[in-house]
Amino acid sequence: MWWCDAVIYQVYPRSFADSDGDGYGDLPGITARLDHLVELGVDALWLSPFYPSPQADAGYDVADYRDVDPLFGTLADADELIAAAKARGLRVILDLVPNHTSDAHPWFTAALGAGPGSAERDRYIFRDGRGSHGELPPNNWQSVFGGPAWTQVPDGQWYLHLFDAGQPDLNWDNPSVRAEFEDILRFWLDRGADGFRVDVAHGLVKQAQLPDWHHPPTPLTGTDLTSVRPPMWDQDGVHEIYRSWRRVLSEYGPDRILVAEAWVQPAERLAQYVRPDEMHQAFNFEYLQAAWDAPSQRNVITRSLAATDAVGAPTTWVLSNHDVVRHASRLGMDMELVLHKGIGPRDPQPDEELGLRRARAATLLMLALPGSAYLYQGEELGLPEHTTLPDEARQDPGWRRSNYTAPGRDGCRVPIPWQADAPSYGFGPSDRSWLPQPPTWARYALDRQRGVPGSTYEMYRTALRLRRELELGSGTLSWVETDVPDQVLAFRNGDTTVVTNFGPEPVSLSELLSSEVKVLHASADLDDGGKVPTDVTVWVATLTR
Ligand code: NOJ
């Protein structure tokens, strides 16, 4: 199956390429840049939402699941994009947002109009409040973005929104909700979509009675909630929904896929989403959150492989997306502190050089692992987080809802630099860009890296070509034991050996592997003695002496 070892590239439409100069990326912009993805060497793209939306959460608040927001183009543009991608051999994964709609969705407007107890209200989670006059929220749940997870409507009832108030949660106990989403799946499958990334896949079903929850409010800040399951996340009832979706996809043959965005730990629990009759893949966020040291990396890789092996699914790997600080910045500072909170101008700043060096090493490590890998637009340029965005430019609802304490996710969503010397770095034909681009980004522009040996872009291209030639994605990993397990990670995948040096001293490959080696690819130059320096990954072929 194509997806078992695929490299899937995430396009964040508003920040990829702007065709009309309004400062927002759009679908025709993506179509015009598809050859970049072909040249890079990925198998598929996943498009974050482009549907009609008030954009309260950058399009993750959908008002119409079967159309395109004028900001991004038209339905015909979506058809054209899908056709153009297919013509180039690229598959297209769309983003499905089933946990909540926008408050501008006709269902929600109808629910407000129809009043308490109505069938319209039953599509959402409306409740009476607590307190003598219902003036208190129905329970103590907090929104992932901060503040209460409930908003009161004029007739006194409250509705649940695990995210922004503009994103009311749907009631998945209601059969009309289930029927509607199966129909939405078919709408896009009929138009040629190769699958769906399923937003908040762990949130659709809530524990009955909606009990109070006294532990940390959100799984998006990293869970150590392995023993007590929060009543709003990872309820067993979600799996029946994915079984029914799998049946729908199967009607279209074996090649269409479902990918779970589920912030669920431990890995065994996450693996339940990819049992044979459910989804095909789940993002491996435990991997994304693992510390940059040899034992942590080995541990998370081993656990991830074991958990998915147990259910017969391939593993996935991911280092960056539109919700977390880019790995080129995260790895240049204390990553646990900033992963979800974001970085603002008043925060300690990452070490850009160190971050990029480690990011390159992390990427080569990831792309040598068996399974499927996800890339986030711009990481192939080594793009860092924009960490000094002015407060007034920020648009992430988390910034406002955290009372301006968490800078949020805008820093990883800044439009891509294509050309060093063009307005908006070639993002569009004008100098407009919905988030300001840092003045230092010319050096990351694609045209400064294309064809330049050793550039991050060429490093990615070579890695993706070799990964395919060496069949790393479909291979099997076996660890190579060394005398320095705390400092060096080494494994074999087929005929290739991969070594990452996390330790302070350079490492001799021939001593480490007791063999002569031929270096196939490296995240940085080896030192004069041919040793692997700190924070460098190499791919080698071992030659018998
Ligand atoms: C996960 C998405 O990736 C994120 O961007 C969004 O804010 C939440 N789900 C809510 O839809």
Side-chain angles (χ1 to χ4, degrees):
M1 291 295 134
W2 71 271
W3 45 272
C4 293
D5 58 357
V7 176
I8 302 176
Y9 181 100
Q10 180 187 358
V11 172
Y12 194 64
R14 57 168 55 210
S15 302
F16 190 65
D18 173 16
S19 72
D20 57 11
D22 67 354
Y24 289 86
D26 46 45
L27 301 189
I30 300 168
T31 305
R33 292 276 187 191
L34 283 177
D35 287 333
H36 168 65
L37 303 188
V38 174
E39 183 180 273
L40 181 60
V42 301
D43 302 292
L45 57 149
W46 145 38
L47 295 157
S48 279
F50 50 67
Y51 317 106
S53 160
Q55 307 291 332
D57 183 20
Y60 282 94
D61 48 322
V62 180
D64 179 354
Y65 289 84
R66 297 179 184 82
D67 205 348
V68 172
D69 195 297
L71 190 63
F72 300 123
T74 62
L75 198 51
D77 292 330
D79 289 340
E80 209 169 302
L81 168 52
I82 293 173
K86 284 189 189 301
R88 288 166 175 77
L90 294 167
R91 315 235 179 197
V92 182
I93 311 289
L94 303 183
D95 213 311
L96 185 75
V97 188
N99 179 67
H100 43 263
T101 67
S102 160
D103 61 354
H105 191 285
W107 273 8
F108 193 72
T109 321
L112 289 184
S118 60
E120 287 83 354
R121 243 172 224 206
D122 190 56
R123 294 191 184 118
Y124 293 90
I125 303 178
F126 278 87
R127 293 288 184 275
D128 294 331
R130 294 203 273 209
S132 43
H133 305 290
E135 71 281 11
L136 299 173
N139 69 21
N140 73 347
W141 295 4
Q142 296 289 296
S143 149
V144 168
F145 295 149
W150 296 90
T151 290
Q152 196 169 24
V153 300
D155 59 41
Q157 278 209 311
W158 299 72
Y159 68 89
L160 178 70
H161 51 87
L162 292 178
F163 295 88
D164 190 62
Q167 295 168 294
D169 278 52
L170 285 163
N171 172 18
W172 276 86
D173 290 333
N174 183 317
S176 65
V177 171
R178 296 193 181 218
E180 172 71 354
F181 274 85
E182 292 194 11
D183 197 64
I184 294 165
L185 291 177
R186 287 202 168 86
F187 177 85
W188 289 107
L189 290 166
D190 288 340
R191 299 191 102 81
D194 292 293
F196 304 91
R197 174 263 190 196
V198 179
D199 190 62
V200 199
H202 55 317
L204 275 51
V205 173
K206 282 79 180 171
Q207 199 173 307
Q209 315 308 329
L210 311 178
D212 278 348
W213 172 246
H214 296 288
H215 297 274
T218 149
L220 293 180
T221 51
T223 60
D224 49 9
L225 308 167
T226 45
S227 48
V228 211
R229 200 124 25 92
M232 66 295 265
W233 306 121
D234 194 27
Q235 300 299 304
D236 291 334
V238 295
H239 296 288
E240 194 41 49
I241 298 169
Y242 305 135
R243 288 193 189 102
S244 73
W245 292 4
R246 177 71 175 243
R247 289 194 288 273
V248 173
L249 263 72
S250 301
E251 292 168 20
Y252 292 79
D255 281 343
R256 319 271 184 130
I257 66 167
L258 294 166
V259 185
E261 190 239 4
W263 290 82
V264 167
Q265 289 185 12
E268 294 72 21
R269 209 51 225 174
L270 181 65
Q272 308 228 313
Y273 289 74
V274 291
R275 288 177 289 193
D277 58 348
E278 298 195 33
M279 302 222 200
H280 301 74
Q281 299 185 335
F283 291 116
N284 187 346
F285 293 130
E286 205 171 333
Y287 176 70
L288 181 151
Q289 295 172 89
W292 182 247
D293 63 66
S296 304
Q297 294 284 321
R298 177 166 171 160
N299 183 29
V300 74
I301 292 168
T302 305
R303 287 170 44 75
S304 305
L305 290 168
T308 45
D309 278 357
V311 294
T315 314
T316 69
W317 312 101
V318 61
L319 288 166
S320 279
N321 63 31
H322 65 294
D323 288 331
V324 298
V325 169
R326 284 182 175 276
H327 66 287
S329 297
R330 221 163 68 213
L331 294 171
M333 64 190 311
D334 184 343
M335 112 168 164
E336 276 193 28
L337 292 180
V338 300
L339 182 67
H340 297 286
K341 185 173 160 285
I343 304 171
R346 293 172 295 278
D347 295 323
Q349 297 293 301
D351 178 333
E352 197 166 330
E353 201 183 317
L354 176 69
L356 180 57
R357 183 178 178 80
R358 288 183 172 170
R360 289 170 56 119
T363 294
L364 278 205
L365 169 52
M366 172 177 86
L367 290 177
L369 294 169
S372 170
Y374 278 81
L375 306 180
Y376 175 48
Q377 66 179 38
E379 67 168 88
E380 76 278 24
L381 306 175
L383 218 57
E385 186 86 355
H386 188 343
T387 57
T388 54
L389 272 174
D391 291 352
E392 58 280 10
R394 294 199 177 278
Q395 302 204 17
D396 184 350
W399 169 237
R400 179 177 33 86
R401 292 191 62 97
S402 70
N403 281 327
Y404 310 102
T405 56
R409 302 164 294 178
D410 292 311
C412 65
R413 299 175 174 181
V414 175
I416 296 299
W418 297 93
Q419 288 165 266
D421 299 319
S424 68
Y425 298 121
F427 166 58
S430 75
D431 59 2
R432 295 173 69 187
S433 160
W434 70 280
L435 286 172
Q437 299 161 299
T440 54
W441 270 16
R443 64 174 174 271
Y444 292 104
L446 177 66
D447 68 347
R448 286 273 170 93
Q449 302 196 40
R450 224 168 147 230
V452 177
S455 69
T456 303
Y457 176 66
E458 293 300 337
M459 184 198 86
Y460 268 77
R461 276 187 71 199
T462 304
L464 292 173
R465 177 176 55 76
L466 285 174
R467 178 185 151 91
R468 200 180 293 256
E469 284 170 20
L470 301 167
E471 300 180 352
L472 299 177
S474 54
T476 305
L477 176 144
S478 56
W479 294 111
V480 176
E481 302 305 337
T482 74
D483 296 338
V484 278
D486 287 344
Q487 294 175 20
V488 172
L489 195 70
F491 62 85
R492 282 213 176 82
N493 182 351
D495 295 332
T496 310
T497 302
V498 177
V499 174
T500 303
N501 182 8
F502 297 85
E505 302 299 331
V507 192
S508 154
L509 285 170
S510 50
E511 279 171 32
L512 187 82
L513 304 173
S514 316
S515 157
E516 292 306 316
V517 300
K518 177 171 169 245
V519 175
L520 303 171
H521 199 19
S523 65
D525 289 340
L526 303 196
D527 74 8
D528 289 345
K531 292 185 174 175
V532 182
T534 305
D535 292 328
V536 171
T537 297
V538 288
W539 296 3
V540 301
T542 44
L543 312 166
T544 22
R545 262 199 254 241

